[in-house]
Amino acid sequence: MNIIDELTWRGAVNQVSDEEGLRKLTEEKSVSLYCGVDPTGDSMHIGHLIPFMMLKRFQLAGHHPYIVIGGGTGVIGDPSGRKTERQLQTIEAIHDNADKLKAQFIHLFGEDSNITIVNNYDWLSKLDLLGFLRDYGKLFSVNVMLAKEVVASRLEAGISFTEFTYQILQSIDFEHLFAHNDIQLQIGGADQWGNITAGIDMIRKIHGSEAQAYCLTIPLMLKSDGTKFGKTAGGAIWLDPEKTSPFEFYQFWLNQDDADVIKYLKYFTFLNQEEINDLEQTVQTEPEKRIAQRRLAEEVTTFVHGKKALREAQNITIALYQGSIANLTEHELEQAFGKMPTVTVGPEEKDVVNWLIDSTIYTSKRQAREDITNGAVTINGIKITSLDEVVTPHKNSNGRFVIVRKGKKKYTLARVQN
């Protein structure tokens, strides 16, 4: 299957500047293409991941992807999708974020694979004002720039000259990569259409009207209820395991709605058409088993965090579902309970009733005794039945944690302070 046909089947094509020409080009040779990301933060979230999954598909089809980290454009700030001016960051913060994003991409794509990572600060920082205005400013019509949706949507509220020029800088990126790296295709989100086509126009003005440069954008990802994909009550789902643990990441995919899961399998996994069709059948015939959701969670967690992190996420899920956390490791305990209600306790060993009162997990000794007697309290995965039980840290926590469960689902993490 041609890569354009595959992307179309996966629902991953929004607009193409010249579909017939791009299809022919990708069939004739290995094409170099790129997608960019500005280092305005120190991690990507799963919304950022979508176009880079497309890069990965091109890579697997034998093409040569480039990732452009916007160390230069990030200093300016892309106005796309924003109603107000972006708060500018320091150059030092941008460079630090760029290093962290590069490490994420190396992890996702592999250091020795057929992919190149570059930073547009390397060429944009060498521009001088007069050269910028003479060599590039003359190629852009203000009338055309004002008509671009990304600018037009900001005119009422106002847009600075700094953000207004962003599309010129992005166009310079495309022309530079076209001229120096033989890159003929740029891909991006649906909101990048105006910026990318501006780059194609610049390339043809500089290199001639027959220059083969193409644009492919990806649809805005929405859930079946029309809301934005990738956010939860707790905020964005990050790729950085310190921001979103692999367990939380796994749970996000595991809890997707039946109406969305097949779309996400097409977007976010490398399963083939036959496999996804089979999973679609299970959604229709055995929805209660959530086979498709489980496969989605396994595939995406492995891609982003690796097989070891997937096993840990699955161990935690099984332990919580079965109510048996006694054998979880220290790292698994941190992932499972790190964001649950937390108290701090001292290292002194006490009988369970006094410990529960002193930790503030209970405020009534009578209620604590009653719940223990009724078997409603477990500590570190073990049901407490004796009022004389002495509380000690979880056996695998290196003395750091006590995990208390009241009833079936109400957990509290007690951090032991030495």
Side-chain angles (χ1 to χ4, degrees), residues 70-114:
T73 44
V75 173
I76 300 304
D78 185 355
S80 298
R82 299 183 64 84
K83 295 181 180 179
T84 59
E85 287 287 314
R86 187 183 296 273
Q87 184 68 40
L88 296 180
Q89 299 190 46
T90 66
I91 299 292
E92 292 75 20
I94 293 291
H95 288 339
D96 185 52
N97 290 343
D99 289 339
K100 290 175 180 175
L101 292 187
K102 183 176 180 180
Q104 283 189 342
F105 284 123
I106 290 172
H107 174 74
L108 290 174
F109 285 87
E111 193 162 13
D112 300 322
S113 60
N114 179 35

Side-chain angles (χ1 to χ4, degrees), residues 107-232:
H107 174 74
L108 290 174
F109 285 87
E111 193 162 13
D112 300 322
S113 60
N114 179 35
I115 190 163
T116 304
I117 301 174
V118 296
N119 189 323
N120 65 16
Y121 185 84
D122 293 342
W123 56 87
L124 293 180
S125 63
K126 295 175 182 176
L127 293 175
D128 64 86
L129 178 60
L130 294 179
F132 171 79
L133 294 174
R134 285 181 61 86
D135 298 337
Y136 301 110
K138 273 290 188 181
L139 303 177
F140 285 81
S141 162
V142 170
N143 296 30
V144 172
M145 293 176 71
L146 288 171
K148 299 284 186 181
E149 183 180 352
V150 64
V151 173
S153 64
R154 287 279 299 278
L155 290 179
E156 185 174 343
I159 183 171
S160 70
F161 180 72
T162 298
E163 291 195 7
F164 181 63
T165 61
Y166 186 92
Q167 64 181 275
I168 301 180
L169 295 184
Q170 187 168 331
S171 299
I172 292 171
D173 285 347
F174 200 173
E175 191 280 328
H176 175 90
L177 294 164
F178 178 87
H180 293 87
N181 302 88
D182 194 29
I183 289 178
Q184 296 178 268
L185 170 64
Q186 182 182 173
I187 68 173
D191 62 346
Q192 293 297 312
W193 176 258
N195 289 340
I196 301 175
T197 52
I200 293 176
D201 292 341
M202 175 193 275
I203 287 170
R204 290 177 178 160
K205 287 175 181 177
I206 294 174
H207 298 277
S209 60
E210 299 303 313
Q212 288 188 296
Y214 302 88
C215 161
L216 186 153
T217 61
I218 296 149
L220 176 66
M221 178 69 80
L222 296 174
K223 295 191 289 187
S224 56
D225 61 5
T227 59
K228 195 171 182 179
F229 163 79
K231 296 290 182 73
T232 68

Side-chain angles (χ1 to χ4, degrees), residues 349-400:
E349 295 184 356
K350 303 174 185 177
D351 67 86
V352 61
V353 175
N354 283 310
W355 187 92
L356 288 170
I357 294 297
D358 291 347
S359 67
T360 69
I361 293 173
Y362 278 84
T363 57
S364 163
K365 284 190 175 183
R366 181 193 60 77
Q367 187 65 55
R369 291 191 189 99
E370 185 177 317
D371 285 357
I372 291 168
T373 302
N374 292 333
V377 176
T378 66
I379 294 181
N380 300 326
I382 300 169
K383 185 179 290 187
I384 303 301
T385 56
S386 169
L387 298 176
D388 298 322
E389 186 80 32
V390 175
V391 177
T392 58
H394 190 287
K395 65 180 181 179
N396 295 334
S397 74
N398 199 26
R400 295 176 59 208

